[in-house]
Amino acid sequence: MGSFFALIALGILVYWVFASWIRRSSGTPPANSPAQSGLSGGGSAFVSVRGNQRGVDALENARAGDRLWVAPGRESKVAGGIIPGGMIYLGKSLAPIKGWQDVEPSLIDPSLPVSGSGQEPYGDTMGYWPSYCQISPKNRSAHLEWLKSGRSDPNADIGFVFLFLYGLERRLLFELMLLPELRGEAPVLISEVERLLALYGQNRSFHGYATDLLSTARILWDDKPASAREPTYDHGGGRVPAAVRVALGQLVAAGEPIPGIWALAWVIGHPETRLRTPARRCPEEFRKLFLARYVERYGSGILVKPNKTRLKIIYHPASSSFGGEVAIPVADLPDVAALSRPVRQLQEIAETAMSELEGFSRYIAKNPQKASSLEALSLLPAELALGQQTEESKRLREWIDAVLNGRAHAVVSGDEVIAHWPCAGDDRISKAELGSFVRMLETLDCGLEPDPRFGGNPVSRSQKLILFRLGADRVTSASAEYRAATLLLHLAAAVSASDGDVSEAEIRQLEEHINRSMHFGDAESRRLRAHVQSLLVEKPSLAGFSRRLEGVDSRQRRLLAEFVVAIAGADGVIDPGEVKTIIKIYKLLGFDPDQAFADIHSLQSEPRRSPAERPVTVRPAGESDPGFAIPGRPQTKVPTDSDFHLDRARVERTLADTAAVSSLLAEIFVEDENVPTTSQPALVGVSGLGARHSELLRLLDGVSELSREKFESLAEGLGLLSDGAYELINEAAFERIGRPLLEQEDPILVDLDGLEEMRQ
Amino acid sequence: MTATTTIRPRTRDAIIQSLRAGVTPRVGQAHIQVGRVDELRAVVDDISRIADGGSGIRFVIGEYGSGKTFFLNLVQSIAMEKKLVVAHADLNPDRRLHSTGGQARSLYQELMRNLATRSKPEGGALQSVVERFVSSAESEARERAILAEAVIRERLVDLSEMLGGYDFAEVIAAFWRGHEVGDDGLKSNAVRWLRGEMSTKTDARKALGVRAIVDDSNVYDHLKLMARFVRLAGYSGLMVCLDELVNLYKLGSGRARAANYEQILRILNDSLQGSAVGLGFIFCGTPEFLLDTRKGLYSYEALQSRLAENRFAGEGLVDMSGPVMNLARLSPEELFVLLGKIRDVYANGDPASYLVPDEALHAFMQHCSKRVGEAYFRTPRNTIKEFVNLLAILEQNPDASWQQLVGAVEVGVEGNPDLAPLEETESDNDDLASFQL
């Protein structure tokens, strides 16, 4: 038996040694590996695939090329003119690297005829694979003209730029590869490609080739780790650029997290990523937002486990000299482009960033000249808007500083807001306008009450509002507890305003009490304080309130009453001050004050010890005590006799049950002008669609195809949600004509025949 | 489904493109469906039951190449036609029914990403569903001259009684507020929450004012909520289709397997007892996933007793009322009919423009049989691919003779990817999208 275990132990040992050996041999390359230094085995693999079809030895060919190469910065005389800057092949004959042509396409042979004086720089068109020796004399002279004038004429035919690029490409990927002594030249050549890319990058084809060359040259000739460079972003190229794959491979092999910029380059280049309009229209904002969200979610970056697929870089040269694609030697690195999970994580972030930018993107599409207006800024996520300083935002900031003047909050009027914010109406600020205003304020570390996101109503010119400082902690949506609290306070304020019997002090006390018992965080309690402040200055009128209350049936009133008691008792205690307010509210609701006592009582139960919230210390650490100690009562606030003690579980249940009441109350508190007063007739228009959807259909008439954005803005113009409208219209179409009316995402196709059928 | 049915050009192109790529079409499956009448009838019954507020569960079991995925896609398009919302996902090592490391949430995310309606059959319809709900609530609010938020809460009051339903309702209300105030950030946060992409409770609390998020422990509860929600939005129910369940079978840890099977048991029980409303599940797997008493569903005693075959079925008698549905492989005759249907699709349903006569189908099958033996109809993916290629050549070269071309067709034997061992770090099985007939 013993020997059996020994055998197993031996087996495990052997396996462990073997496994760790495997791991070591396939693991991270040493620091000075070929990938880092850029070279792999002196490029011998490169030479072997590079046999010239005409039997010219590759090394021989490279030496010949070197002899004809005009070094960077040197002048040369061609056809009676001077070409500054060098970086061309000049001479009688040079074999291509491998291709089917007789002569290296970038070779400038001075013995070939050129025509004219170069008066006409735009010669007749050249083929797809131009070669200096094959283009027309007229084109030759135009090419030389371009070279003489410093290679920067923005109007030059892109063919001439390509012809020059072929030379750089040959030099970088062939001669420098075979003749190590020339490698010092690489940085100059690389920056020349960068220069050309900046000048002629708007040409799609040139952009593609030059970007590729740049990224490949950097992989080969830049000694820094790939991830230390600025990544190449390939928009819409549908592939992850080589340099990005190398950088990602190095990071992953080294077990390092992926920094945001590389994550971005990865996700942008990935073939399955679809960048929607916001990312394309506002690339800079998208980049910033992506990086911010990435850091938020993943800190220093996601960690990717090395995968088994190895990195292979295939380069597609611009020049025909190479005779087809070239394998670029790189170190043994994992090819993370084969992984799908990390990309999905990144796509999620990109998606979030795009949807957050949608509003901004739509706005600047409609108002391109207002890209830096306050309205535009307010549509940006806070962290982006903060960075943008404009004249208007500066003015707004100064106004805020002056108003607050170091205080936590201050009163302003609707008038003042209208002065600082464009509003469509004359004397009213709509919810949407107020919404964008508060988002703008938020970027300036400032909040406003009422805030429509927290249940605030539209604001009139004369209304008083509360401006207050936000802390570092932010919330953008009201929790149910917060809403409940504001409603109770609103009720209390209304009662107070009606007979003045509930004093301001009592309301403040109530607020503090609620604040404590609901466990609000810093952000919510600041806002609640501002809210109370606004209630106190605005003194909500009870007139409208009572009128509206008439429409509430007795069952709902009951619910309201229970709700009031439950909130007041959310911490399990109702003190006599609160009881006073509750009774007032009960009277307002049309109940007997005695009912209030009964309700409080029904929430009341035998004072019990609450269950422990943390492990109960039975015996403190230290010397052992021979006796058995009975645990003491948990130290909680000892309520005074006059307080009412409630069963907390029951209170919470009641609170949950009465969630519906919050909306009922919100309904009651709403200002008159906010509720649509005239009810609209249902089901008018086309095929059972509502009036606005029918109107949308009418707008689509005659349009067989439209961009998603156009559709969205049409829907928005009618106050409709675009995806919902798409769905409802198609649903109606299925019912009526048995097929969808709208198809595809972007652009959206409209079945016009179907539209006609639906009309009938 | 007869030869006279006209086929919409877009559908035709989609079918042909998919077949050429060797994947099952996502649309128009009805045009090339062969046989399986009993199975389809049973599933259609299931769908009607779900649409009536009931529930349903099916285990579609078949070997590699027997057409599970095709069948599943067909069922999905039927379900969408019957106004159900369909959510579909392939299981893989990163997407499971139960986990503690985020894999269950990841499955939920995938399902929500693939949420499809008949108006958006390609998926990505979650926002559409939410907006449809909100739009109709808004219309009602206009009619009744009250606040839209009140209507939304009123409609969602039923959800509040369910686990996580209260927060769900809050999130929908937040979406509405985002729309009303013009706050896209709030809207997108609400959608992210619904998609299960909100990763911490703190984020959820700050962004939406709710305390809970979708996490590994409540994925099934959220599917139940979603089923109720889509009904409130005007659809008839939710059909959840999970493919590649063999990935649960392949899980290395017995405990992880058991936990996942327990989740299936929970779904099965809910569904048989009818306690899920408007929610149907279809699981697709291979026979070993079901039958293996060591690692398959049968290894879980409680499931075995519920899923065991009706002893009287078999030998030509069928019972489609049990949850397990066995898909037989295609017979050569069925393949013949299938090729005919593909020819029909190619000709837009017009017999006058058939590219090849019936003899050609026969010759083609004979040729394939000679090249790869009987595998040609057992795993017909390649056979069909080559047949579509053949039609493509004939369409572009009307002068070519099919007799010559058939002889030149190369068909290879295909391997079963299910037999490949799992590799956790590599890309998931999406890349092995399978077409089986």
Side-chain angles (χ1 to χ4, degrees), chain A residues 716-756:
Chain A
E716 201 181 327
L718 294 165
L720 294 173
L721 287 151
S722 56
D723 278 343
Y726 185 101
E727 194 74 13
L728 279 170
I729 287 175
N730 270 352
E731 202 51 49
F734 273 116
E735 293 301 318
R736 186 74 186 266
I737 58 172
R739 60 176 195 274
L741 200 67
L742 306 173
E743 277 186 287
Q744 294 190 11
E745 289 284 297
D746 197 9
I748 293 171
L749 306 179
V750 185
D751 179 352
L752 291 178
D753 298 338
L755 189 57
E756 197 46 49

Coordinates of all heavy atoms in Angstrom, one line a residue, chain A residues 716-756:
Chain A
E716 N -38.5 62.1 -32.9 CA -38.3 63.0 -31.8 C -39.1 64.3 -31.9 O -39.7 64.8 -31.0 CB -36.8 63.4 -31.7 CG -36.4 63.9 -30.4 CD -34.9 64.2 -30.4 OE1 -34.1 63.6 -31.2 OE2 -34.5 65.2 -29.8
G717 N -39.2 64.7 -33.2 CA -40.0 65.9 -33.5 C -41.4 65.8 -33.1 O -42.1 66.7 -32.7
L718 N -41.9 64.5 -33.1 CA -43.3 64.2 -32.7 C -43.4 63.8 -31.3 O -44.5 63.4 -30.8 CB -43.9 63.1 -33.6 CG -44.0 63.5 -35.1 CD1 -44.3 62.3 -36.0 CD2 -45.2 64.5 -35.3
G719 N -42.3 63.9 -30.6 CA -42.3 63.4 -29.2 C -42.4 61.9 -29.0 O -42.9 61.4 -28.0
L720 N -41.9 61.2 -30.0 CA -42.0 59.7 -30.0 C -40.6 59.1 -29.7 O -39.6 59.7 -30.0 CB -42.5 59.2 -31.3 CG -44.0 59.5 -31.7 CD1 -44.2 59.1 -33.1 CD2 -44.9 58.9 -30.7
L721 N -40.7 57.9 -29.1 CA -39.4 57.2 -29.0 C -39.2 56.4 -30.3 O -40.1 55.7 -30.7 CB -39.6 56.2 -27.8 CG -39.6 56.8 -26.4 CD1 -40.4 56.0 -25.4 CD2 -38.2 56.9 -25.9
S722 N -38.0 56.5 -30.8 CA -37.9 56.0 -32.2 C -38.0 54.5 -32.3 O -38.6 54.0 -33.2 CB -36.5 56.5 -32.8 OG -35.5 56.1 -31.9
D723 N -37.3 53.8 -31.4 CA -37.4 52.3 -31.4 C -38.8 51.8 -31.2 O -39.2 50.9 -31.8 CB -36.4 51.7 -30.4 CG -35.0 51.6 -30.9 OD1 -34.8 51.8 -32.2 OD2 -34.1 51.4 -30.1
G724 N -39.5 52.5 -30.3 CA -40.8 52.1 -30.0 C -41.7 52.4 -31.2 O -42.6 51.6 -31.5
A725 N -41.5 53.5 -31.9 CA -42.3 53.8 -33.0 C -42.0 52.8 -34.1 O -43.0 52.3 -34.8 CB -41.9 55.2 -33.5
Y726 N -40.8 52.4 -34.3 CA -40.4 51.4 -35.3 C -41.2 50.1 -35.1 O -41.8 49.5 -35.9 CB -38.9 51.2 -35.2 CG -38.3 50.3 -36.2 CD1 -37.5 50.8 -37.3 CD2 -38.3 48.9 -36.1 CE1 -36.9 49.9 -38.2 CE2 -37.7 48.0 -37.0 CZ -37.0 48.6 -38.0 OH -36.4 47.7 -38.9
E727 N -41.2 49.8 -33.8 CA -41.8 48.5 -33.4 C -43.3 48.6 -33.6 O -43.9 47.7 -34.1 CB -41.5 48.3 -31.9 CG -41.8 46.9 -31.4 CD -40.8 45.8 -31.9 OE1 -39.7 46.2 -32.4 OE2 -41.1 44.6 -31.7
L728 N -43.9 49.7 -33.1 CA -45.4 49.8 -33.2 C -45.9 49.9 -34.7 O -46.9 49.3 -35.0 CB -45.8 51.1 -32.5 CG -46.0 50.9 -30.9 CD1 -46.2 52.2 -30.3 CD2 -47.1 49.9 -30.6
I729 N -45.1 50.6 -35.5 CA -45.5 50.7 -36.9 C -45.4 49.3 -37.6 O -46.3 48.9 -38.3 CB -44.6 51.7 -37.6 CG1 -45.0 53.1 -37.2 CG2 -44.8 51.6 -39.1 CD1 -44.1 54.2 -37.8
N730 N -44.4 48.6 -37.3 CA -44.2 47.3 -37.9 C -45.3 46.3 -37.4 O -45.8 45.5 -38.1 CB -42.8 46.7 -37.6 CG -41.9 47.1 -38.7 OD1 -42.3 47.7 -39.7 ND2 -40.6 46.8 -38.5
E731 N -45.6 46.5 -36.1 CA -46.6 45.6 -35.5 C -47.9 45.8 -36.2 O -48.6 44.9 -36.6 CB -46.7 45.9 -34.0 CG -47.3 44.8 -33.2 CD -46.6 43.4 -33.4 OE1 -45.3 43.3 -33.4 OE2 -47.4 42.5 -33.7
A732 N -48.3 47.1 -36.4 CA -49.5 47.4 -37.1 C -49.4 46.9 -38.6 O -50.4 46.4 -39.1 CB -49.7 48.9 -37.1
A733 N -48.3 47.0 -39.2 CA -48.1 46.5 -40.5 C -48.3 45.0 -40.6 O -49.0 44.5 -41.5 CB -46.8 46.9 -41.1
F734 N -47.8 44.3 -39.7 CA -47.9 42.8 -39.6 C -49.4 42.5 -39.5 O -49.9 41.6 -40.2 CB -47.2 42.2 -38.5 CG -45.8 41.9 -38.8 CD1 -44.7 42.5 -38.1 CD2 -45.4 40.9 -39.7 CE1 -43.4 42.2 -38.3 CE2 -44.1 40.6 -40.0 CZ -43.1 41.2 -39.3
E735 N -50.1 43.2 -38.7 CA -51.6 43.0 -38.5 C -52.3 43.3 -39.8 O -53.2 42.5 -40.2 CB -52.1 43.9 -37.4 CG -51.6 43.6 -36.0 CD -51.9 42.2 -35.6 OE1 -53.1 41.7 -35.9 OE2 -51.0 41.5 -35.0
R736 N -51.9 44.3 -40.5 CA -52.7 44.8 -41.6 C -52.3 44.2 -42.9 O -53.1 43.7 -43.7 CB -52.5 46.3 -41.6 CG -53.4 47.0 -42.7 CD -54.8 47.1 -42.2 NE -55.7 47.6 -43.2 CZ -56.0 48.9 -43.3 NH1 -55.6 49.7 -42.4 NH2 -56.8 49.3 -44.3
I737 N -51.0 44.1 -43.2 CA -50.6 43.7 -44.5 C -49.7 42.4 -44.4 O -49.2 42.0 -45.4 CB -49.9 44.8 -45.3 CG1 -48.6 45.3 -44.5 CG2 -50.8 45.9 -45.6 CD1 -47.8 46.2 -45.3
G738 N -49.5 41.9 -43.2 CA -48.7 40.7 -43.1 C -47.2 40.7 -43.3 O -46.6 39.7 -43.5
R739 N -46.7 41.9 -43.4 CA -45.2 42.0 -43.5 C -44.8 43.3 -42.8 O -45.6 44.2 -42.7 CB -44.8 41.9 -44.9 CG -45.4 43.0 -45.8 CD -44.8 42.9 -47.2 NE -45.1 44.1 -48.0 CZ -46.2 44.3 -48.7 NH1 -47.2 43.4 -48.7 NH2 -46.4 45.4 -49.4
P740 N -43.5 43.4 -42.5 CA -43.1 44.7 -41.9 C -43.0 45.8 -42.9 O -42.8 45.6 -44.1 CB -41.7 44.4 -41.4 CG -41.2 43.3 -42.3 CD -42.4 42.5 -42.7
L741 N -43.2 47.0 -42.4 CA -43.2 48.2 -43.2 C -41.7 48.8 -43.2 O -41.3 49.3 -44.2 CB -44.1 49.2 -42.7 CG -44.6 50.3 -43.6 CD1 -45.4 49.7 -44.8 CD2 -45.4 51.4 -42.9
L742 N -41.1 48.7 -42.1 CA -39.7 49.2 -42.0 C -38.8 48.0 -41.8 O -39.1 47.1 -41.1 CB -39.6 50.1 -40.7 CG -40.7 51.2 -40.7 CD1 -40.6 51.9 -39.3 CD2 -40.5 52.2 -41.8
E743 N -37.6 48.1 -42.5 CA -36.7 47.1 -42.4 C -35.3 47.6 -42.2 O -35.0 48.7 -42.7 CB -36.8 46.1 -43.6 CG -37.9 45.1 -43.5 CD -37.9 44.1 -44.6 OE1 -38.2 44.4 -45.7 OE2 -37.5 42.9 -44.3
Q744 N -34.4 46.8 -41.6 CA -33.0 47.1 -41.4 C -32.8 48.2 -40.4 O -33.7 49.0 -40.1 CB -32.3 47.4 -42.7 CG -32.3 46.2 -43.6 CD -31.4 46.4 -44.8 OE1 -30.6 47.3 -44.9 NE2 -31.4 45.5 -45.7
E745 N -31.6 48.3 -40.0 CA -31.2 49.2 -38.9 C -30.8 50.6 -39.4 O -31.3 51.6 -39.0 CB -30.0 48.6 -38.1 CG -30.4 47.4 -37.3 CD -31.2 47.8 -36.0 OE1 -30.6 48.6 -35.2 OE2 -32.4 47.5 -35.9
D746 N -29.8 50.6 -40.3 CA -29.3 51.8 -40.8 C -28.7 51.6 -42.1 O -27.7 50.9 -42.2 CB -28.3 52.4 -39.8 CG -28.0 53.9 -40.0 OD1 -28.7 54.5 -40.8 OD2 -27.1 54.4 -39.4
P747 N -29.2 52.1 -43.2 CA -30.4 53.0 -43.3 C -31.6 52.1 -43.1 O -31.6 50.9 -43.3 CB -30.3 53.5 -44.7 CG -29.6 52.5 -45.5 CD -28.6 51.9 -44.5
I748 N -32.7 52.8 -42.8 CA -34.0 52.1 -42.6 C -34.7 52.1 -44.0 O -34.8 53.1 -44.6 CB -34.9 52.8 -41.6 CG1 -34.2 52.6 -40.2 CG2 -36.3 52.2 -41.5 CD1 -34.8 53.4 -39.1
L749 N -35.2 50.9 -44.4 CA -35.9 50.8 -45.7 C -37.4 50.9 -45.4 O -37.9 50.2 -44.5 CB -35.5 49.5 -46.4 CG -34.0 49.3 -46.6 CD1 -33.8 47.9 -47.3 CD2 -33.4 50.4 -47.4
V750 N -38.1 51.7 -46.2 CA -39.5 51.8 -46.1 C -40.2 51.1 -47.3 O -39.9 51.3 -48.4 CB -40.0 53.3 -46.1 CG1 -41.4 53.4 -45.8 CG2 -39.1 54.0 -45.0
D751 N -41.1 50.2 -47.0 CA -41.9 49.5 -48.0 C -43.0 50.4 -48.4 O -44.1 50.5 -47.8 CB -42.4 48.2 -47.4 CG -43.2 47.4 -48.4 OD1 -43.5 47.9 -49.5 OD2 -43.6 46.3 -48.1
L752 N -42.8 51.2 -49.5 CA -43.8 52.2 -49.9 C -45.1 51.6 -50.4 O -46.2 52.2 -50.1 CB -43.2 53.1 -51.0 CG -42.1 54.0 -50.4 CD1 -41.5 54.9 -51.6 CD2 -42.5 54.9 -49.3
D753 N -45.0 50.4 -51.1 CA -46.2 49.8 -51.5 C -47.1 49.4 -50.3 O -48.3 49.6 -50.2 CB -45.9 48.5 -52.3 CG -45.1 48.8 -53.6 OD1 -45.2 50.0 -54.0 OD2 -44.5 47.9 -54.1
G754 N -46.3 48.9 -49.3 CA -47.0 48.5 -48.0 C -47.7 49.7 -47.4 O -48.8 49.6 -46.9
L755 N -47.0 50.8 -47.4 CA -47.6 52.1 -46.9 C -48.9 52.4 -47.5 O -49.9 52.8 -46.9 CB -46.5 53.2 -47.0 CG -46.8 54.5 -46.3 CD1 -46.9 54.2 -44.8 CD2 -45.7 55.5 -46.5
E756 N -48.9 52.3 -48.8 CA -50.1 52.6 -49.6 C -51.2 51.6 -49.2 O -52.3 52.0 -48.9 CB -49.8 52.4 -51.1 CG -50.7 53.1 -52.0 CD -51.1 54.5 -51.6 OE1 -50.2 55.3 -51.3 OE2 -52.3 54.8 -51.5

